[in-house]
Amino acid sequence: MTNPLLEPWTTPFEIPPFDTIADAHFAPAFEAAIAETRERVTRIATDPDAPDFGNTIEAFERSGDFLHRISTVFYNRAATDTNETVKTLQRDLSPKLSALRADIRMNGSLFARIEDLWQRRGECALTQEQDRVLMLTRQRFVRDGALLDSDGKARLKDILGRLAVLATLFSQNIQKDEEDWVLSLTEADVEGLPASLQSGLRGAAAERDLEGYALTLSRSLVVPFLQSTPRRDLREVAFRAWAARGASNPDTATAGIVREILTLRAERAALLGYDSYADYRLEPEMAKTPAAVRDLLMQVWRPARIRALEDQAHLTAMMQADGVNDELAPWDWRYYAAIRQKHEQGIDDAEVKQYLNLETLIEASFACATRLFGLTFTPLNAPTPHPDARAWEVTKNGVHLGVFIGDYFARSSKRSGAWCSRFRDQSKLDGPVSPIVLNVCNFAKPQAGAPALLTFDDARTLFHEFGHALHGLLSDVTYASISGTAVALDFVELPSQLYEHWLSTPQVLEEFARHAETGAPMPEDLRARLLAAETIDQGFATVEYVASALVDLGFHSGPVPQDPLAREAEILRGIGMPEAITMRHATQHFQHVFSGDMYASGYYSYMWSEVMDADAFSAFEESGDIFDPETARSLLQNIYSTGGSCDPVDLYTAFRGKMPSVDSLLQRRGFATAVV
């Protein structure tokens, strides 16, 4: 049988031939790719020639190309269109790929060559980018155990293998809970709900071969439902199911997985000489230390909590005036906040959604990139990972720059959330290699023929993920290991969060916020009210986020909790968590932190980057033109094109002159007047 994963790809721009790749192709392809990677690394490690940058670092850069090509296709399928075959293979692969990485990073002969180069780097006439790649390569080897003795290496390898298995189990358990839960609704249950939400509920029922309407645990359905339905009993059922992912079924419960992950992470850090996993994890980031992270989070927490408690009292009074003689519960907050927003600001999400059509918002995200960076997006007839996905060729001044793929709709085989990934990184080591970048979202898919209407929060998500995509598409470096989003975790969210700001400008809304049926622009007064309302309910949004970040930090900074859920409750009591607000991501389904280690001790990074993005957009505002060409050129040169080729502090300072304070963030969130 011909295996397309093992053949040259003759598709446009060598996009993966998704339409010919079957699940059965992955296992033999991985077997071949792992073997080839091991053989290439062995050749580098045993090269009889003295180490130089070409035969060691550049050779190492190339060593995993084949495996990377296959892995990106497989893990996208596992996240966006999974099935039992894929899940089983994912569980089988996790320890094998972890062992491969450990064997490479702990290869004494290979590290000796890297260390020799590092010690002689002053004699090697390296470029600035090469020096950076050498430093980061050595750092990664050391942090993965290259300096440990044989016993330490063996134990660390076991730890990493087990962590890989546990992360996969955690992710699959959450996805199973999300797939299994569905609430069938009748005509009476959905009476009075916005038409766009009813359409989404009908679409969810149809996907599951159900009659009528169905509520699932997709955020794009649950949140609008909690905001819209006056049925408190249904709000409670929906919220409890959403919050209970990872805890509702003994077969998929994750508390034990979390405890073991935390235990192994602490042991990993101790083996490598760190006081805690947070100390280990934060060392290469901008924040550097747990103390610096906590300081930032608490500067934001205090005014946010004050504002949230004020709002909680107001919403409680509204609910009780509505005849509900009870305390405000988490399933009540969004409903009464939406009513308050409508009364005080004249903002009705159902009305706003009529002007936020997915198609025009995609066009808007492209148009901003055209005005800022001179990019052109042309629909591309090429294979895509799923029939719902679409592809565009990205050019600049008529020159091919890359491919962008958008996969926007929720489905039962896709995990929840939104993210950016890539099938190929930009590089120039062996000639120009253009990036292939993917955005994945989970917007409610409407009935056939109906427009996909988004909330303003959904629209921000679209712009956010496209900001990540631009970071990959605009990358202009030599080495793939520092390409695009391969930067410090607390810097990677800057390009994405900064890009959100263009959505929230009168210029963009005036042009692209068009009624889905009539094409009429959003009325000026509604647009003004929408922008004026951006700080509404920021106490809630900030508290639920910062609470999650503080729990993440607390888990990884001190002794390993024997009962993580009890430790979560202890941390929340200690910071005075408002009773009517829950963490954005409760421990049992905190996928950022437990479906892998990228955001472990790092969930704070969104807030760290927000301090910069609030200040960075001010550069455009100060110029008097949100598309100011000179500021855009500086943004491209210093942020979007540079990848990880320089220290992020140097990059931001080159763009803005200095690092910002938290003041801009507090101002934009409406907390400047909150009394602390």
Side-chain angles (χ1 to χ4, degrees), residues 197-220:
L197 176 55
Q198 291 191 30
S199 178
L201 295 170
R202 279 195 297 266
E207 188 196 0
R208 288 163 175 75
D209 296 323
L210 301 173
E211 296 294 327
Y213 306 85
L215 179 65
T216 70
L217 295 181
S218 167
R219 186 181 185 90
S220 59

Side-chain angles (χ1 to χ4, degrees), residues 332-351:
D332 299 315
W333 190 295
R334 290 174 174 85
Y335 177 70
Y336 286 100
I339 294 174
R340 182 185 183 188
Q341 179 175 266
K342 186 174 182 179
H343 286 172
E344 294 185 2
Q345 297 290 333
I347 299 296
D348 182 348
D349 277 346
E351 179 187 12

